[in-house]
Amino acid sequence: MPKLIKERVPTPERPPEERVRDFKEVNLGYTWELALKEAERCLQCPKDYAPCIKGCPVHIDIPGFIGALKKYRDDPDRAVKEALRIIWNDNTLPAITGRVCPQEDQCEGVCVVGKVGDAVNIGKLERFVADYAREHGIDEELLCEFAEKCDGTKGKVAVVGAGPAGLTCAGELAKMGYKVTIYEALHKPGGVLVYGIPEFRLPKEILDYELKKLEKLGVEIKTDHLIGKTLTIQELLEEYDAVFIGTGAGTPKLLDIPGILLDRIYSANEFLTRINLMKAYEFPEYDTPIAVGRKVIVIGGGNTAMDAARSALRLGAEVTIAYRRGREDMSARIEEIKHAEEEGVKFMFFVQPVEFLGENGKVKAVKFEKMKPLDEKDSRGKRKIVGTGEYVTVEADTVIIAIGLEPNKIILEESGFELNPDGTIKVDENLMTSIPGVFAGGDAIRGEATVILAMGDGKKAAKAIDEYIRKRKSS
């Protein structure tokens, strides 16, 4: 049995005082030597047992790809090629998932090594494999092998939305031999990957490269197509054998409190879209301005709140995150909270906004009620909170609301899907909607969640679509 090494190998990061001045990537990733050292910590659990595989929404053979790194330790190019081949069997976008997945809650959260020490750094190893392969031309060679199977002869499938669910579904179907066309409403594909996640977490250059891989597998991406307006679902069904809906959750939730219409109150969705997709952080070189004042308050406790806060910080503001519960209740990744604190973001806990105060039409402060936690838990396992009747007012000339998103309403209103009570699309156990031949996944069926859960839906839907089409053609 391999020797158990309890402490993980840390990945190099840029120092906070340097990284807050730009939008370049924070985590620098493993070198080959560091990756191999971390790979040695994996106990190589049998594939049929490995908890990490079960904990991964797309079920990557994690012991398999880490084992390849160890097996060919004297030949890093071959090691990475074999590891990447194993990963690509289940996930064609490892450079993305290796950066943005909440591994600590999934594969790493159930890692056997993590029961007695630090879990194996699975996410950073996955990222290493993808980055090394890209930088050394290994994935181009491997892509040719995969592309040979992507002949597009089994049928035609339309995918609506070029976010994580749609991209994954398209890639899996292409590998099965289907001709896939993605219809994207915006002028760039990527969904939340391109408009919601900042450059310092997921460089656009990396995302663009991963998207080009899908195109080399035969996937066609049509941008500026708003399904429900440009084309209808019924029109797609006339041309394609099946349709997958992966339109995500792009409608922001706002606060119904006095002052919500004051200027310089943003939804996090708008704020991050302007910065990420429209490159407002490079104004005036790019044409999209964004007004960020001296004191910014971000309301929320998830990854989106961290992204908005850290982006505002890089634009020169003093930033405070206000959250109505405690630190341990925040849904943001531990790594993102740590990075925010290192960079100088301040936190206020157990405060609920009750009013935005303004002057000359612009926000100038936020009035909060102090909250108190109870011992009782809610349905999500978080402590319930109640108001104390005590209030505090905090100065702010910009407010960013990051309290969640809802599904795209245009396609829902135009297409006649049966919906769940929360407004998401209702699907069966195979992810088929109430419209025969139309499947759905990701945030459109579950509400705002993680990139990897959406990708898991995309993969599951691809298998269901393949089975649906084969049955139709054989009957």
Side-chain angles (χ1 to χ4, degrees):
M1 184 171 178
K3 180 183 176 183
L4 181 63
I5 305 171
K6 292 185 178 181
E7 294 184 359
R8 68 167 50 181
V9 178
T11 48
E13 294 179 349
R14 298 172 64 215
E17 60 273 14
E18 174 188 306
R19 68 197 194 216
V20 295
R21 295 198 295 266
D22 60 45
F23 278 75
K24 294 177 183 177
E25 194 164 15
V26 170
N27 193 295
L28 300 176
Y30 281 136
T31 61
W32 164 247
E33 292 75 20
L34 291 176
L36 186 57
K37 188 176 179 181
E38 179 63 17
E40 293 289 358
R41 300 183 61 239
C42 178
L43 297 179
Q44 296 292 282
C45 298
K47 187 175 179 180
D48 291 341
Y49 161 76
C52 55
I53 298 177
K54 296 181 177 67
C56 171
V58 293
H59 306 300
I60 294 170
D61 179 4
I62 293 166
F65 95 76
I66 295 177
L69 297 179
K70 296 197 288 185
K71 181 178 180 181
Y72 302 106
R73 66 177 64 249
D74 296 325
D75 186 350
D77 284 8
R78 184 176 181 187
V80 168
K81 183 176 180 180
E82 295 307 316
L84 188 64
R85 177 183 281 112
I86 292 168
I87 293 172
W88 274 6
N89 284 329
D90 298 293
N91 174 24
T92 52
L93 305 171
I96 294 171
T97 52
R99 284 172 165 83
V100 305
C101 272
Q103 289 95 358
E104 65 272 18
D105 296 326
Q106 294 168 163
C107 55
E108 294 175 15
V110 292
C111 173
V112 173
V113 178
K115 297 182 185 301
V116 293
D118 297 333
V120 175
N121 204 341
I122 297 166
K124 296 300 188 294
L125 288 174
E126 181 186 23
R127 169 186 163 170
F128 164 77
V129 170
D131 288 354
Y132 186 100
R134 182 182 67 256
E135 292 161 5
H136 291 79
I138 294 168
D139 58 351
E140 288 293 331
E141 179 184 346
L142 192 58
L143 197 60
C144 292
E145 294 181 24
F146 276 80
E148 288 177 3
K149 305 173 187 176
C150 304
D151 54 15
T153 58
K154 289 180 69 174
K156 294 173 62 180
V157 180
V159 171
V160 182
L167 294 173
T168 301
C169 185
E172 292 300 309
L173 287 167
K175 287 189 293 183
M176 292 177 192
Y178 288 92
K179 172 61 181 171
V180 185
T181 302
I182 300 177
Y183 292 89
E184 168 57 42
L186 295 177
H187 63 280
K188 286 195 71 173
V192 69
L193 301 171
V194 71
Y195 69 72
I197 300 178
E199 184 83 5
F200 52 79
R201 280 219 292 141
L202 177 61
K204 302 300 177 285
E205 180 183 5
I206 301 293
L207 175 59
D208 290 344
Y209 189 91
E210 295 288 86
L211 291 172
K212 285 185 175 66
K213 279 184 359 193
L214 288 182
E215 292 175 340
K216 289 177 181 178
L217 294 177
V219 175
E220 181 182 7
I221 302 176
K222 294 185 177 183
T223 56
D224 302 309
H225 279 69
L226 181 59
I227 302 303
K229 295 295 183 183
T230 310
L231 289 168
T232 66
I233 294 295
Q234 290 304 320
E235 287 173 326
L236 291 179
L237 284 172
E238 290 172 7
E239 183 178 352
Y240 296 92
D241 297 305
V243 176
F244 175 76
I245 307 297
T247 48
T251 304
K253 296 178 182 177
L254 296 174
L255 291 164
D256 186 16
I257 61 175
I260 186 64
L261 296 180
L262 288 167
D263 193 18
R264 288 198 179 179
I265 297 179
Y266 296 97
S267 69
N269 198 39
E270 177 190 0
F271 184 75
L272 290 170
T273 298
R274 282 174 173 266
I275 289 175
N276 297 332
L277 185 60
M278 302 178 181
K279 296 190 177 181
Y281 64 91
E282 294 186 17
F283 181 82
E285 284 78 10
Y286 283 79
D287 294 335
T288 306
I290 189 162
V292 177
R294 184 173 56 89
K295 290 184 179 292
V296 173
I297 290 180
V298 178
I299 298 170
N303 288 320
T304 302
M306 299 303 138
D307 289 342
R310 296 174 66 200
S311 295
L313 194 76
R314 283 159 170 75
L315 295 175
E318 297 175 22
V319 184
T320 300
I321 289 177
Y323 183 53
R324 63 190 183 130
R325 288 189 169 89
R327 180 190 178 96
E328 64 276 15
D329 296 312
M330 299 179 83
S331 59
R333 295 187 66 189
I334 295 171
E335 182 179 56
E336 301 309 317
I337 298 172
K338 170 179 167 285
H339 284 164
E341 289 181 322
E342 289 174 348
E343 293 166 3
V345 174
K346 297 179 176 64
F347 288 80
M348 291 175 61
F349 295 111
F350 295 112
V351 289
Q352 173 78 36
V354 294
E355 184 178 3
F356 297 118
L357 306 174
E359 189 174 84
N360 299 322
K362 296 181 179 180
V363 69
K364 70 171 185 178
V366 183
K367 182 180 179 181
F368 293 97
E369 182 178 8
K370 294 181 180 180
M371 310 302 287
K372 182 176 72 172
L374 302 175
D375 292 334
E376 188 180 353
K377 300 287 183 72
D378 64 16
S379 59
R380 296 176 297 170
K382 294 184 178 182
R383 291 179 296 173
K384 289 186 176 181
I385 53 173
V386 293
T388 63
E390 297 181 44
Y391 298 88
V392 59
T393 298
V394 183
E395 179 186 354
D397 46 25
T398 306
V399 175
I400 303 168
I401 301 172
I403 59 172
L405 298 166
E406 297 174 327
N408 179 323
K409 289 183 168 50
I410 292 177
I411 191 169
L412 301 184
E413 292 168 353
E414 294 293 325
S415 304
F417 291 112
E418 185 178 349
L419 304 179
N420 295 309
D422 63 357
T424 54
I425 300 174
K426 187 174 184 177
V427 294
D428 65 16
E429 66 277 7
N430 296 314
L431 301 185
M432 188 185 288
T433 70
S434 57
I435 302 175
V438 180
F439 298 74
D443 291 0
I445 68 168
R446 69 174 76 246
E448 186 182 15
T450 62
V451 166
I452 192 62
L453 283 175
M455 292 176 69
D457 286 347
K459 185 175 178 180
K460 179 179 178 180
K463 291 180 179 178
I465 289 169
D466 175 48
E467 185 175 344
Y468 170 80
I469 293 174
R470 283 192 291 106
K471 281 184 178 179
R472 284 193 67 194
K473 291 193 173 184
S474 64
S475 60

PDB file of all heavy atoms in Angstrom, residues 165 192 246-250 405-408 424-425 441-451 453-454 457:
ATOM      1  N   ALA A 165     -24.008  23.575 -19.270  1.00  0.00           N
ATOM      2  CA  ALA A 165     -24.867  22.430 -19.589  1.00  0.00           C
ATOM      3  C   ALA A 165     -24.914  22.188 -21.087  1.00  0.00           C
ATOM      4  O   ALA A 165     -24.762  21.053 -21.563  1.00  0.00           O
ATOM      5  CB  ALA A 165     -26.280  22.652 -19.038  1.00  0.00           C
ATOM      6  N   VAL A 192     -22.483  31.590 -18.394  1.00  0.00           N
ATOM      7  CA  VAL A 192     -21.937  32.137 -17.152  1.00  0.00           C
ATOM      8  C   VAL A 192     -20.410  32.072 -17.137  1.00  0.00           C
ATOM      9  O   VAL A 192     -19.753  32.866 -16.459  1.00  0.00           O
ATOM     10  CB  VAL A 192     -22.523  31.391 -15.935  1.00  0.00           C
ATOM     11  CG1 VAL A 192     -22.004  29.962 -15.871  1.00  0.00           C
ATOM     12  CG2 VAL A 192     -22.240  32.119 -14.643  1.00  0.00           C
ATOM     13  N   GLY A 246     -30.439  24.507 -22.384  1.00  0.00           N
ATOM     14  CA  GLY A 246     -29.470  24.798 -21.329  1.00  0.00           C
ATOM     15  C   GLY A 246     -29.295  26.293 -21.188  1.00  0.00           C
ATOM     16  O   GLY A 246     -28.180  26.814 -21.245  1.00  0.00           O
ATOM     17  N   THR A 247     -30.419  26.977 -21.004  1.00  0.00           N
ATOM     18  CA  THR A 247     -30.404  28.449 -21.014  1.00  0.00           C
ATOM     19  C   THR A 247     -30.033  29.071 -19.676  1.00  0.00           C
ATOM     20  O   THR A 247     -29.959  30.294 -19.560  1.00  0.00           O
ATOM     21  CB  THR A 247     -31.783  28.987 -21.455  1.00  0.00           C
ATOM     22  OG1 THR A 247     -32.809  28.311 -20.715  1.00  0.00           O
ATOM     23  CG2 THR A 247     -32.009  28.736 -22.935  1.00  0.00           C
ATOM     24  N   GLY A 248     -29.806  28.246 -18.661  1.00  0.00           N
ATOM     25  CA  GLY A 248     -29.307  28.770 -17.399  1.00  0.00           C
ATOM     26  C   GLY A 248     -30.307  29.602 -16.622  1.00  0.00           C
ATOM     27  O   GLY A 248     -31.520  29.538 -16.844  1.00  0.00           O
ATOM     28  N   ALA A 249     -29.755  30.378 -15.714  1.00  0.00           N
ATOM     29  CA  ALA A 249     -30.568  31.273 -14.885  1.00  0.00           C
ATOM     30  C   ALA A 249     -29.943  32.657 -14.980  1.00  0.00           C
ATOM     31  O   ALA A 249     -29.018  32.988 -14.238  1.00  0.00           O
ATOM     32  CB  ALA A 249     -30.595  30.785 -13.438  1.00  0.00           C
ATOM     33  N   GLY A 250     -30.433  33.450 -15.905  1.00  0.00           N
ATOM     34  CA  GLY A 250     -29.819  34.759 -16.154  1.00  0.00           C
ATOM     35  C   GLY A 250     -30.629  35.944 -15.694  1.00  0.00           C
ATOM     36  O   GLY A 250     -30.238  37.091 -15.915  1.00  0.00           O
ATOM     37  N   LEU A 405     -30.236  34.086  -8.968  1.00  0.00           N
ATOM     38  CA  LEU A 405     -30.744  34.267 -10.327  1.00  0.00           C
ATOM     39  C   LEU A 405     -31.904  33.320 -10.580  1.00  0.00           C
ATOM     40  O   LEU A 405     -32.048  32.290  -9.913  1.00  0.00           O
ATOM     41  CB  LEU A 405     -29.633  33.987 -11.349  1.00  0.00           C
ATOM     42  CG  LEU A 405     -28.400  34.893 -11.290  1.00  0.00           C
ATOM     43  CD1 LEU A 405     -27.269  34.289 -12.105  1.00  0.00           C
ATOM     44  CD2 LEU A 405     -28.729  36.290 -11.809  1.00  0.00           C
ATOM     45  N   GLU A 406     -32.732  33.678 -11.555  1.00  0.00           N
ATOM     46  CA  GLU A 406     -33.864  32.845 -11.962  1.00  0.00           C
ATOM     47  C   GLU A 406     -33.717  32.496 -13.439  1.00  0.00           C
ATOM     48  O   GLU A 406     -32.986  33.169 -14.174  1.00  0.00           O
ATOM     49  CB  GLU A 406     -35.180  33.603 -11.733  1.00  0.00           C
ATOM     50  CG  GLU A 406     -35.439  33.937 -10.277  1.00  0.00           C
ATOM     51  CD  GLU A 406     -36.668  34.809 -10.095  1.00  0.00           C
ATOM     52  OE1 GLU A 406     -36.958  35.638 -10.982  1.00  0.00           O
ATOM     53  OE2 GLU A 406     -37.332  34.660  -9.067  1.00  0.00           O
ATOM     54  N   PRO A 407     -34.429  31.445 -13.922  1.00  0.00           N
ATOM     55  CA  PRO A 407     -34.300  31.038 -15.322  1.00  0.00           C
ATOM     56  C   PRO A 407     -34.743  32.107 -16.314  1.00  0.00           C
ATOM     57  O   PRO A 407     -35.538  32.994 -15.999  1.00  0.00           O
ATOM     58  CB  PRO A 407     -35.202  29.803 -15.413  1.00  0.00           C
ATOM     59  CG  PRO A 407     -35.245  29.273 -14.024  1.00  0.00           C
ATOM     60  CD  PRO A 407     -35.217  30.491 -13.138  1.00  0.00           C
ATOM     61  N   ASN A 408     -34.198  31.984 -17.529  1.00  0.00           N
ATOM     62  CA  ASN A 408     -34.546  32.838 -18.657  1.00  0.00           C
ATOM     63  C   ASN A 408     -36.056  32.783 -18.917  1.00  0.00           C
ATOM     64  O   ASN A 408     -36.603  31.723 -19.197  1.00  0.00           O
ATOM     65  CB  ASN A 408     -33.767  32.328 -19.885  1.00  0.00           C
ATOM     66  CG  ASN A 408     -34.049  33.103 -21.155  1.00  0.00           C
ATOM     67  OD1 ASN A 408     -35.174  33.517 -21.404  1.00  0.00           O
ATOM     68  ND2 ASN A 408     -33.023  33.294 -21.948  1.00  0.00           N
ATOM     69  N   THR A 424     -38.742  26.991 -12.600  1.00  0.00           N
ATOM     70  CA  THR A 424     -37.804  26.214 -13.400  1.00  0.00           C
ATOM     71  C   THR A 424     -38.567  25.234 -14.294  1.00  0.00           C
ATOM     72  O   THR A 424     -39.742  24.938 -14.067  1.00  0.00           O
ATOM     73  CB  THR A 424     -36.827  25.430 -12.501  1.00  0.00           C
ATOM     74  OG1 THR A 424     -37.592  24.638 -11.568  1.00  0.00           O
ATOM     75  CG2 THR A 424     -35.935  26.388 -11.719  1.00  0.00           C
ATOM     76  N   ILE A 425     -37.881  24.719 -15.321  1.00  0.00           N
ATOM     77  CA  ILE A 425     -38.514  23.793 -16.263  1.00  0.00           C
ATOM     78  C   ILE A 425     -38.667  22.427 -15.613  1.00  0.00           C
ATOM     79  O   ILE A 425     -37.715  21.882 -15.050  1.00  0.00           O
ATOM     80  CB  ILE A 425     -37.676  23.671 -17.548  1.00  0.00           C
ATOM     81  CG1 ILE A 425     -37.539  25.037 -18.238  1.00  0.00           C
ATOM     82  CG2 ILE A 425     -38.322  22.669 -18.513  1.00  0.00           C
ATOM     83  CD1 ILE A 425     -36.605  25.024 -19.443  1.00  0.00           C
ATOM     84  N   GLY A 441     -31.548  20.928 -18.869  1.00  0.00           N
ATOM     85  CA  GLY A 441     -30.655  20.682 -17.745  1.00  0.00           C
ATOM     86  C   GLY A 441     -29.999  21.954 -17.266  1.00  0.00           C
ATOM     87  O   GLY A 441     -30.169  23.033 -17.847  1.00  0.00           O
ATOM     88  N   GLY A 442     -29.229  21.838 -16.198  1.00  0.00           N
ATOM     89  CA  GLY A 442     -28.533  22.992 -15.643  1.00  0.00           C
ATOM     90  C   GLY A 442     -29.444  23.877 -14.816  1.00  0.00           C
ATOM     91  O   GLY A 442     -30.473  23.442 -14.293  1.00  0.00           O
ATOM     92  N   ASP A 443     -29.080  25.148 -14.725  1.00  0.00           N
ATOM     93  CA  ASP A 443     -29.825  26.088 -13.894  1.00  0.00           C
ATOM     94  C   ASP A 443     -31.266  26.271 -14.363  1.00  0.00           C
ATOM     95  O   ASP A 443     -32.127  26.680 -13.588  1.00  0.00           O
ATOM     96  CB  ASP A 443     -29.126  27.454 -13.879  1.00  0.00           C
ATOM     97  CG  ASP A 443     -27.797  27.412 -13.130  1.00  0.00           C
ATOM     98  OD1 ASP A 443     -27.434  26.334 -12.632  1.00  0.00           O
ATOM     99  OD2 ASP A 443     -27.129  28.458 -13.055  1.00  0.00           O
ATOM    100  N   ALA A 444     -31.540  25.960 -15.624  1.00  0.00           N
ATOM    101  CA  ALA A 444     -32.896  26.100 -16.150  1.00  0.00           C
ATOM    102  C   ALA A 444     -33.867  25.146 -15.470  1.00  0.00           C
ATOM    103  O   ALA A 444     -35.072  25.400 -15.413  1.00  0.00           O
ATOM    104  CB  ALA A 444     -32.921  25.866 -17.664  1.00  0.00           C
ATOM    105  N   ILE A 445     -33.352  24.029 -14.907  1.00  0.00           N
ATOM    106  CA  ILE A 445     -34.243  23.067 -14.250  1.00  0.00           C
ATOM    107  C   ILE A 445     -34.080  23.045 -12.730  1.00  0.00           C
ATOM    108  O   ILE A 445     -34.924  22.508 -12.020  1.00  0.00           O
ATOM    109  CB  ILE A 445     -34.048  21.633 -14.784  1.00  0.00           C
ATOM    110  CG1 ILE A 445     -32.674  21.064 -14.384  1.00  0.00           C
ATOM    111  CG2 ILE A 445     -34.232  21.594 -16.289  1.00  0.00           C
ATOM    112  CD1 ILE A 445     -32.527  19.582 -14.628  1.00  0.00           C
ATOM    113  N   ARG A 446     -32.984  23.632 -12.207  1.00  0.00           N
ATOM    114  CA  ARG A 446     -32.733  23.539 -10.770  1.00  0.00           C
ATOM    115  C   ARG A 446     -32.562  24.898 -10.095  1.00  0.00           C
ATOM    116  O   ARG A 446     -32.449  24.991  -8.881  1.00  0.00           O
ATOM    117  CB  ARG A 446     -31.493  22.675 -10.512  1.00  0.00           C
ATOM    118  CG  ARG A 446     -30.197  23.282 -10.954  1.00  0.00           C
ATOM    119  CD  ARG A 446     -28.981  22.428 -10.528  1.00  0.00           C
ATOM    120  NE  ARG A 446     -28.827  21.248 -11.365  1.00  0.00           N
ATOM    121  CZ  ARG A 446     -28.980  20.008 -10.914  1.00  0.00           C
ATOM    122  NH1 ARG A 446     -29.286  19.797  -9.655  1.00  0.00           N
ATOM    123  NH2 ARG A 446     -28.813  18.980 -11.715  1.00  0.00           N
ATOM    124  N   GLY A 447     -32.539  25.984 -10.893  1.00  0.00           N
ATOM    125  CA  GLY A 447     -32.217  27.281 -10.327  1.00  0.00           C
ATOM    126  C   GLY A 447     -30.708  27.436 -10.253  1.00  0.00           C
ATOM    127  O   GLY A 447     -29.946  26.527 -10.596  1.00  0.00           O
ATOM    128  N   GLU A 448     -30.259  28.590  -9.798  1.00  0.00           N
ATOM    129  CA  GLU A 448     -28.828  28.886  -9.799  1.00  0.00           C
ATOM    130  C   GLU A 448     -28.055  27.858  -8.982  1.00  0.00           C
ATOM    131  O   GLU A 448     -28.347  27.609  -7.815  1.00  0.00           O
ATOM    132  CB  GLU A 448     -28.587  30.278  -9.227  1.00  0.00           C
ATOM    133  CG  GLU A 448     -27.135  30.724  -9.321  1.00  0.00           C
ATOM    134  CD  GLU A 448     -26.908  32.087  -8.706  1.00  0.00           C
ATOM    135  OE1 GLU A 448     -27.777  32.568  -7.966  1.00  0.00           O
ATOM    136  OE2 GLU A 448     -25.843  32.674  -8.966  1.00  0.00           O
ATOM    137  N   ALA A 449     -27.058  27.233  -9.615  1.00  0.00           N
ATOM    138  CA  ALA A 449     -26.236  26.226  -8.943  1.00  0.00           C
ATOM    139  C   ALA A 449     -24.823  26.312  -9.516  1.00  0.00           C
ATOM    140  O   ALA A 449     -24.417  27.343 -10.051  1.00  0.00           O
ATOM    141  CB  ALA A 449     -26.848  24.843  -9.124  1.00  0.00           C
ATOM    142  N   THR A 450     -24.068  25.221  -9.445  1.00  0.00           N
ATOM    143  CA  THR A 450     -22.671  25.259  -9.858  1.00  0.00           C
ATOM    144  C   THR A 450     -22.500  24.861 -11.320  1.00  0.00           C
ATOM    145  O   THR A 450     -23.347  24.204 -11.921  1.00  0.00           O
ATOM    146  CB  THR A 450     -21.826  24.302  -8.995  1.00  0.00           C
ATOM    147  OG1 THR A 450     -22.296  22.959  -9.185  1.00  0.00           O
ATOM    148  CG2 THR A 450     -21.928  24.668  -7.522  1.00  0.00           C
ATOM    149  N   VAL A 451     -21.349  25.248 -11.869  1.00  0.00           N
ATOM    150  CA  VAL A 451     -20.997  24.910 -13.244  1.00  0.00           C
ATOM    151  C   VAL A 451     -20.985  23.393 -13.432  1.00  0.00           C
ATOM    152  O   VAL A 451     -21.530  22.865 -14.403  1.00  0.00           O
ATOM    153  CB  VAL A 451     -19.617  25.506 -13.600  1.00  0.00           C
ATOM    154  CG1 VAL A 451     -19.076  24.903 -14.893  1.00  0.00           C
ATOM    155  CG2 VAL A 451     -19.719  27.030 -13.719  1.00  0.00           C
ATOM    156  N   LEU A 453     -22.481  20.961 -11.751  1.00  0.00           N
ATOM    157  CA  LEU A 453     -23.797  20.320 -11.713  1.00  0.00           C
ATOM    158  C   LEU A 453     -24.501  20.482 -13.055  1.00  0.00           C
ATOM    159  O   LEU A 453     -25.162  19.558 -13.541  1.00  0.00           O
ATOM    160  CB  LEU A 453     -24.648  20.902 -10.588  1.00  0.00           C
ATOM    161  CG  LEU A 453     -24.314  20.429  -9.167  1.00  0.00           C
ATOM    162  CD1 LEU A 453     -25.162  21.174  -8.145  1.00  0.00           C
ATOM    163  CD2 LEU A 453     -24.519  18.926  -9.024  1.00  0.00           C
ATOM    164  N   ALA A 454     -24.361  21.652 -13.653  1.00  0.00           N
ATOM    165  CA  ALA A 454     -24.936  21.877 -14.984  1.00  0.00           C
ATOM    166  C   ALA A 454     -24.290  20.950 -16.006  1.00  0.00           C
ATOM    167  O   ALA A 454     -24.968  20.372 -16.873  1.00  0.00           O
ATOM    168  CB  ALA A 454     -24.759  23.335 -15.394  1.00  0.00           C
ATOM    169  N   ASP A 457     -25.690  17.515 -15.741  1.00  0.00           N
ATOM    170  CA  ASP A 457     -26.978  17.427 -16.438  1.00  0.00           C
ATOM    171  C   ASP A 457     -26.779  17.289 -17.939  1.00  0.00           C
ATOM    172  O   ASP A 457     -27.482  16.522 -18.611  1.00  0.00           O
ATOM    173  CB  ASP A 457     -27.824  18.672 -16.155  1.00  0.00           C
ATOM    174  CG  ASP A 457     -28.402  18.692 -14.756  1.00  0.00           C
ATOM    175  OD1 ASP A 457     -28.369  17.655 -14.081  1.00  0.00           O
ATOM    176  OD2 ASP A 457     -28.887  19.761 -14.337  1.00  0.00           O
TER     177      ASP A 457
END
